[in-house]
Amino acid sequence: MAGSNPNAKPMNLTLKVWRQKNRNTQGGIVDYQVKDISPDMSFLEMLDVLNEDLLRKGEEPVAFDHDCREGICGSCNLFINGRAHGPEPGTTTCQLHMRKFNDGDTITIEPWRANAFPVNKDLSVDRSAFDRIIQAGGYISVNTGGTPDANEIPIPKEIADRAFEAATCIACGACVASCKNASAMLFVSAKVSQLALLPQGHVERKSRVENMVAQMDKEGFGACTNIGSCAAECPVGISLENIAILNREFLSAKATSNNLA
Amino acid sequence: MFPDSKIPEGPLAEKWDKHKFNVKLVNPANKRKYDVIVVGTGLAGASAAASLAELGYNVKAFTYHDSPRRAHSIAAQGGINAAKNYQNDGDSVYRLFYDTIKGGDYRAREANVYRLAQVSVNIIDQCVAQGVPFAREYGGLLANRSFGGAQVSRTFYARGQTGQQLLLGAYSALSRQVAYGKVKLYTRTEMLDVVIVDGQARGIITRNLITGEIEQHAGHAVVLATGGYGNVFYLSTNAKYSNATAAWRAHKKGAYFANPCFTQIHPTCIPVSGDYQSKLTLMSESLRNDGRVWVPKEKATAERLRKGEIRVNDIKEEDRDYFLERKYPAFGNLVPRDVASRNAKMMCDEGRGVGSSGLAVFLDFADAIKRNGADWVSQKYGNLFDMYAKITGENPYEQPMRIYPAVHYTMGGLWVDYNLQTTVPGLYATGECNFSDHGANRLGASALMQGLADGYFVIPYTIGDYLAQTPPKPVTTEHPAFKEAEAEVRARVQKLMSINGTRTPDDFHKALGHIMWEYCGMARTAEGLQHAKAEIQKLRREFWSDLKLVGTEAEMNQALEKAGRVADFLELGELMVDDAYHRNESCGGHFREEYQTPEGEALRDDENFTYVAAWEYTGDNQVSALHKEDLRFENVKLTQRSYK
Ligand SMILES: Cc1cc2nc3c(=O)[nH]c(=O)nc-3n(C[C@H](O)[C@H](O)[C@H](O)COP(=O)(O)OP(=O)(O)OC[C@H]3O[C@@H](n4cnc5c(N)ncnc54)[C@H](O)[C@@H]3O)c2cc1C
Ligand code: SF4
Ligand code: FES
């Protein structure tokens, strides 16, 4: 069976893959050859080919995270040739296709590197720090039931659309991996601005931003120095404007804090 | 005797209210004395875990994902139904109920479906309060669209990412309870068995996917919200990790499995491009609102196209067959999923399929672009068009998309009563994991609705009824049943590790997928199903003698995880085949070629098959026992579905 492009030629590639047994051991790059890779394959399908091959030979397959393979779950996270999610802008690793590469290429594949994202094994890292930041305040405090009718509070379409844009962050961590300070500002700002933009989120906006930023610092993410590589590498286009909103929220929270402690 | 489905007496519209009044309540001060285990943190699980914790129960929530936010629910695109009637177009709870029963081809319970339609309106209120950014009109009110053949606009959406936004809402509610210490979250932890103590579910056995540790967890009740089993087909639109292990383990511990053969094949997916293909990508159903489905009129034209001798845009209007519009003038391209899928298959079987494999039909936007402009199309479907272009390398603004049906959803699942309790007391199932509301075919935008209905608005009430009758004494893992279950799990893991054969888990999974798709997919025959059964048994034997794994079980080992799931698929697949073989009728997603109308439509046999088939596990390699729950229709009249 051929794909959409019957004339596309299969490729042979050299892979330089980061292998690391677990969190407590040192890792290193190992070279592998893969053959007959169709340009219609996704990057992860190419790794599937490698892994099937390794397993058949009795070698350990390369551990990596993935699930939806459609760019929405945020699981996949490979640092490919020095770039988070590889060469194609606005694209997660799972949506990157091999037609972006050429026969004979050497491809380096590494995990996200950040103190707050320890390696589990090979290319899989622990991003639970993101969950803990959300737990610190990335929500509106409503219980199930007893909420007003959904159309009770009209929200201007422009505001709703902006909140939606911010809410599309997939928590992949590419922003952190691309930042030389390993800052999580873009991720945090996306949630802060989604909820700050919506009227439902106003009640808790001050404590939210303070608590989320405090947790971010505690997790060991670096400081934001406005370089902007986060937004440049974000696969879903979370914009720097969110960081501006976060800074504004943070300053005004500090000035008029509701936090009594 | 069939277990009581516990449908409350009384008129349809009053059943749920009456039931809520009649269920026992747990005294508020006692709630904190109960531990509830929730397995799964997708829409159904996260909503349940958060709501139960808010009520005061201690919740332990488990997921094999690294975060609750990554559940398969995140990928739902199109929208969520609710009978809000905001558009004033004649919708109502009754209409949503009726559409769901009819869409399910009269194989769902009236009472459950009515309740679903009733609570649908609360879901939208809840989500908006959480900050879910649904699409809005310029006036600031919520927008709706019509979806999946519905004749009213009752679908709420957030661009093409509705599942994402709903899941993030439920995840935020869950995160808040984690922060309060009311939910203890176990990520990258896979449930591998249920523990039954004196006939009641009292805990689970898990494996930590990073360290390989096997652990015991006790609770007063266990809720499974572990999703559907579409990946039994290997290729499906489900996320790669989606699997049936939790449900299947529960089945083997006594929970009946209902209607396993009811699977949904979605008509608009990107076709398979090669045998390395690892999953299929859905192109939202909403595309059928503006796209026209066609194949060449003549087989010869299709052949020349496949060989690359002509290009699609060379084919003249009069040489195109818009087969859905031709056959179903009233619904046209918007016929239900099963009808659209089967017709695409028929065209390809006739030799009129397109794409190099011949297993595709066109979905054409040329008219919409001519009528409204490319900008309008891009506004509406931009992200889907981009995704299509990324995957196929083709530009759908310039040439029609190629689509083909793919496995998408499983209507079957663990049998549950009206309280969402399985046949094992204290064991509940919610969301796609249960069989409850969609009959033989699910309507678009109704899975998200069901998952959230179960989690936010049903289980918080119904589980109380059970807990109120359970003494509020601490539960522990001291009972020998825990040790036994753990030993079984360990033995199984070690067995998988020790086979030392030659074939990979994926290799077996693909082989199973081929059998399922070929014989238990879009069209089934008695003969084919019997053949499939023998093939699956053979494959299962090979699996247990020729599986290859490396490394150890005491570390992160993704191939081992996969192997355990494939082992369960190999058993579930056979049950699906048995179920499809026994159901001598066609209904919804289950199409038996022997049973069709002269026009080729599904032919039900209401006299003999108006029941839920609930299968009881009777032992390894034994024939499962069939139990029938008769479906009684007191409010709707059974008719032959017609979309002509
Ligand atoms: C591409 C696509 C698009 C869709 N679009 C729509 C749509 O527009 N509208 C609609 O209504 N429906 C849609 N659906 C269907 C819908 O998304 C699903 O039916 C629904 O999200 C299922 O939710 P769930 O909570 O039941 O399960 P899931 O979201 O699958 O969650 C399962 C959870 O269980 C956990 N789990 C499973 N097994 C174990 C185990 N053994 N141990 C520990 N944890 C476990 C997982 O980690 C996960 O947290 C779509 C489906 C697909 C595939
Ligand atoms: S902001 Fe972008 S890069 Fe960062 S986690 Fe979210 S989606 Fe990923
Ligand atoms: S695997 Fe889900 S975003 Fe890549």
Side-chain angles (χ1 to χ4, degrees):
Chain A
M1 257 186 294
S4 49
N5 184 358
N7 304 320
K9 280 215 195 46
M11 303 182 276
N12 295 335
L13 304 162
T14 303
L15 306 178
K16 292 182 160 308
V17 184
W18 183 263
R19 303 298 313 254
Q20 180 173 342
K21 193 156 179 54
N22 55 43
R23 193 171 293 196
N24 306 317
T25 52
Q26 290 273 333
I29 293 278
V30 179
D31 287 9
Y32 298 100
Q33 308 292 327
V34 285
K35 296 205 165 61
D36 290 333
I37 297 301
S38 158
D40 284 329
M41 276 185 197
S42 70
F43 197 83
L44 298 184
E45 285 169 343
M46 183 274 294
L47 283 184
D48 292 342
V49 170
L50 171 69
N51 274 345
E52 285 291 286
D53 203 39
L54 289 175
L55 189 50
R56 268 190 219 105
K57 288 197 295 207
E59 292 175 40
E60 277 209 46
V62 180
F64 64 90
D65 283 317
H66 68 101
D67 195 21
C68 72
R69 297 202 174 191
E70 6 191 289
I72 192 79
C73 75
S75 297
C76 62
N77 54 340
L78 300 181
F79 210 65
I80 301 166
N81 287 342
R83 288 186 69 179
H85 294 302
E88 195 179 1
T91 305
T92 55
T93 304
C94 60
Q95 291 293 82
L96 177 65
H97 279 68
M98 295 313 294
R99 62 180 77 90
K100 299 284 161 194
F101 297 88
N102 298 309
D103 188 27
D105 277 0
T106 297
I107 306 174
T108 305
I109 311 170
E110 295 169 276
W112 280 180
R113 303 227 186 251
N115 285 337
F117 291 160
V119 171
N120 295 315
K121 180 174 184 173
D122 299 336
L123 303 170
S124 164
V125 301
D126 179 348
R127 287 169 286 185
S128 52
F130 273 4
D131 285 331
R132 289 187 294 273
I133 293 175
I134 298 295
Q135 286 155 17
Y139 46 75
I140 290 169
S141 298
V142 285
N143 282 357
T144 302
T147 51
D149 183 88
N151 258 347
E152 204 140 283
I153 317 168
I155 302 175
K157 185 175 181 335
E158 306 75 40
I159 299 285
D161 285 351
R162 275 172 66 197
F164 170 83
E165 293 293 348
T168 58
C169 162
I170 59 174
C172 63
C175 45
V176 175
S178 309
C179 172
K180 74 174 172 60
N181 307 323
S183 165
M185 272 298 257
L186 194 64
F187 167 78
V188 177
S189 72
K191 188 48 74 183
V192 166
S193 38
Q194 175 203 344
L195 298 180
L197 283 161
L198 295 170
Q200 305 94 300
H202 281 188
V203 177
E204 298 166 284
R205 65 199 286 184
K206 290 181 190 167
S207 56
R208 175 179 307 118
V209 67
E210 288 181 301
N211 295 339
M212 288 180 76
V213 168
Q215 187 66 34
M216 170 177 83
D217 293 342
K218 203 167 131 196
E219 295 290 347
F221 291 104
C224 173
T225 52
N226 293 314
I227 306 167
S229 43
C230 52
E233 298 294 327
C234 171
V236 300
I238 300 297
S239 88
L240 285 176
E241 183 209 31
N242 292 298
I243 294 187
I245 295 180
L246 184 150
N247 285 332
R248 207 160 60 225
E249 289 289 310
F250 190 72
L251 286 177
S252 88
K254 278 279 170 248
T256 61
S257 178
N258 289 341
N259 274 3
L260 300 176
Chain B
M1 249 298 283
F2 197 86
D4 185 1
S5 55
K6 307 227 173 79
I7 297 171
E9 295 298 317
L12 187 62
E14 291 167 23
K15 285 182 195 286
W16 178 229
D17 275 346
K18 264 174 83 173
H19 190 65
K20 283 196 287 188
F21 180 72
N22 287 330
V23 294
K24 302 206 169 47
L25 298 176
V26 178
N27 165 335
N30 271 349
K31 288 207 174 92
R32 66 186 159 75
K33 297 183 185 157
Y34 290 100
D35 298 335
V36 180
I37 288 175
V38 178
V39 187
T41 52
L43 281 177
S47 57
S51 305
L52 291 169
E54 288 161 10
L55 286 172
Y57 299 111
N58 303 309
V59 176
K60 291 182 179 181
F62 294 82
T63 166
Y64 57 68
H65 285 98
D66 70 334
S67 161
R69 65 183 297 150
R70 310 225 196 268
H72 166 57
S73 295
I74 201 102
Q77 302 172 350
I80 177 167
N81 288 331
K84 280 286 198 187
N85 193 30
Y86 281 162
Q87 306 307 321
N88 197 29
D89 57 357
D91 199 12
S92 63
V93 166
Y94 194 85
R95 186 178 294 281
L96 176 54
F97 153 75
Y98 179 82
D99 287 353
T100 307
I101 288 282
K102 177 182 174 211
D105 223 359
Y106 308 97
R107 292 294 176 261
R109 262 187 219 142
E110 281 192 342
N112 282 59
V113 174
Y114 194 85
R115 173 178 68 189
L116 175 65
Q118 279 178 306
V119 303
S120 70
V121 297
N122 306 110
I123 295 172
I124 304 304
D125 299 342
Q126 187 64 35
C127 295
V128 167
Q130 290 168 345
V132 170
F134 283 122
R136 287 178 184 267
E137 305 290 356
Y138 281 101
L141 301 183
L142 292 163
N144 290 116
R145 61 184 170 206
S146 115
F147 195 74
Q151 287 176 313
V152 291
S153 292
R154 61 160 75 101
T155 304
F156 294 78
Y157 61 99
R159 206 157 308 158
Q161 294 164 232
T162 316
Q164 178 191 41
Q165 294 309 317
L166 294 174
L167 181 60
L168 293 182
Y171 162 75
S172 72
L174 176 65
S175 297
R176 175 170 162 249
Q177 295 305 315
V178 173
Y180 290 168
K182 288 305 290 180
V183 174
K184 182 150 172 42
L185 185 61
Y186 296 81
T187 57
R188 295 213 200 238
T189 305
E190 181 167 31
M191 172 204 136
L192 293 177
D193 213 347
V194 194
V195 182
I196 316 272
V197 175
D198 302 329
Q200 303 193 312
R202 280 289 183 266
I204 59 172
I205 307 293
T206 59
R207 179 170 178 272
N208 179 317
L209 299 181
I210 301 295
T211 63
E213 272 163 286
I214 310 269
E215 289 167 337
Q216 309 172 350
H217 302 273
H220 292 87
V222 176
V223 180
L224 299 184
T226 50
Y229 53 89
N231 275 349
V232 71
F233 290 87
Y234 186 74
L235 285 183
S236 86
T237 62
N238 288 11
K240 284 292 283 178
Y241 288 156
S242 295
N243 70 83
T245 287
W248 192 250
R249 300 275 119 202
H251 175 57
K252 291 180 88 164
K253 283 283 165 88
Y256 291 5
F257 208 108
N259 298 333
C261 82
F262 287 169
T263 46
Q264 179 165 81
I265 315 269
H266 197 290
T268 54
C269 303
I270 301 181
V272 175
S273 77
D275 45 11
Y276 50 80
Q277 188 102 20
S278 61
K279 76 154 292 183
L280 294 169
T281 302
L282 178 76
M283 290 279 100
S284 168
E285 183 141 52
S286 59
L287 290 171
R288 285 198 281 145
N289 286 328
D290 290 290
R292 300 178 69 195
V293 179
W294 65 275
V295 289
K297 260 196 190 134
E298 301 299 330
K299 203 172 138 180
T301 320
E303 244 158 55
R304 294 183 57 204
L305 191 62
R306 290 200 292 268
K307 286 191 191 138
E309 292 168 14
I310 51 171
R311 284 171 317 157
V312 46
N313 293 339
D314 299 337
I315 301 175
K316 291 205 202 70
E317 199 52 35
E318 59 268 27
D319 296 329
R320 303 177 175 198
D321 178 13
Y322 296 90
F323 54 91
L324 292 177
E325 297 170 25
R326 168 172 61 81
K327 292 172 75 171
Y328 308 96
F331 280 71
N333 295 299
L334 293 176
V335 290
R337 293 175 175 179
D338 51 334
V339 179
S341 294
R342 214 155 41 240
N343 276 281
K345 178 179 188 299
M346 278 191 241
M347 296 304 127
C348 297
D349 288 349
E350 284 174 20
R352 296 198 282 146
V354 302
S356 50
S357 65
L359 291 177
V361 301
F362 288 126
L363 179 63
D364 200 335
F365 292 87
D367 277 1
I369 292 173
K370 212 180 293 163
R371 199 169 56 238
N372 300 312
D375 275 354
W376 181 89
V377 171
S378 151
Q379 273 283 321
K380 239 175 138 177
Y381 306 113
N383 55 343
L384 294 168
F385 275 46
D386 290 348
M387 179 149 81
Y388 182 86
K390 237 173 226 170
I391 293 175
T392 63
E394 290 173 3
N395 180 351
Y397 293 98
E398 284 165 10
Q399 64 185 85
M401 288 184 180
R402 290 169 298 115
I403 54 164
Y404 199 64
V407 173
H408 179 60
Y409 182 85
T410 49
M411 282 74 71
L414 292 178
W415 183 89
V416 288
D417 64 16
Y418 189 72
N419 293 323
L420 306 181
Q421 185 167 245
T422 68
T423 47
V424 176
L427 182 66
Y428 291 77
T430 60
E432 192 172 341
C433 178
N434 73 27
F435 88 108
S436 66
D437 297 347
H438 307 294
N441 174 55
R442 174 175 70 76
L443 292 182
S446 285
L448 302 179
M449 167 173 75
Q450 183 226 330
L452 290 180
D454 288 359
Y456 285 134
F457 297 111
V458 179
I459 199 95
Y461 294 94
T462 59
I463 208 169
D465 192 44
Y466 172 79
L467 292 173
Q469 301 173 62
T470 307
K473 286 188 309 216
V475 281
T476 67
T477 55
E478 258 151 47
H479 194 279
F482 279 91
K483 262 207 198 71
E484 270 164 48
E486 181 185 325
E488 275 173 45
V489 166
R490 280 186 192 281
R492 198 175 121 95
V493 168
Q494 277 153 14
K495 179 145 185 234
L496 289 167
M497 288 304 304
S498 65
I499 299 170
N500 212 0
T502 63
R503 292 173 68 182
T504 66
D506 250 19
D507 197 21
F508 284 106
H509 193 185
K510 276 185 199 175
L512 175 66
H514 275 296
I515 300 170
M516 297 304 294
W517 179 244
E518 207 48 50
Y519 301 105
C520 199
M522 261 188 289
R524 305 152 175 191
T525 65
E527 198 192 343
L529 289 163
Q530 270 179 311
H531 175 74
K533 186 175 168 76
E535 290 283 297
I536 295 170
Q537 289 174 344
K538 186 163 144 259
L539 190 65
R540 201 164 57 226
R541 284 193 298 273
E542 287 167 12
F543 177 90
W544 286 105
S545 61
D546 197 20
L547 176 73
K548 172 102 186 164
L549 291 175
V550 298
T552 74
E553 65 267 36
E555 60 181 338
M556 186 172 182
N557 188 335
Q558 292 176 318
L560 169 64
E561 293 164 27
K562 182 76 202 262
R565 296 166 190 169
V566 173
D568 291 331
F569 280 142
L570 280 164
E571 294 180 11
L572 169 60
E574 185 177 348
L575 186 66
M576 292 167 69
V577 164
D578 285 343
D579 187 44
Y581 179 77
H582 111 282
R583 193 170 276 277
N584 288 317
E585 64 163 348
S586 295
C587 59
H590 169 63
F591 190 76
R592 280 278 302 272
E593 286 184 7
E594 303 94 320
Y595 308 102
Q596 47 181 307
T597 64
E599 298 88 48
E601 304 299 336
L603 187 62
R604 286 198 324 266
D605 177 353
D606 291 335
E607 186 134 353
N608 295 303
F609 287 96
T610 309
Y611 64 76
V612 175
W615 297 88
E616 179 188 2
Y617 186 76
T618 53
D620 283 341
N621 300 311
Q622 301 288 310
V623 183
S624 303
L626 172 64
H627 302 272
K628 299 176 183 178
E629 179 197 344
D630 287 323
L631 291 169
R632 269 185 293 278
F633 291 92
E634 289 160 355
N635 299 276
V636 298
K637 213 169 112 268
L638 275 63
T639 56
Q640 192 68 39
R641 284 191 313 168
S642 170
Y643 295 94
K644 293 265 167 198

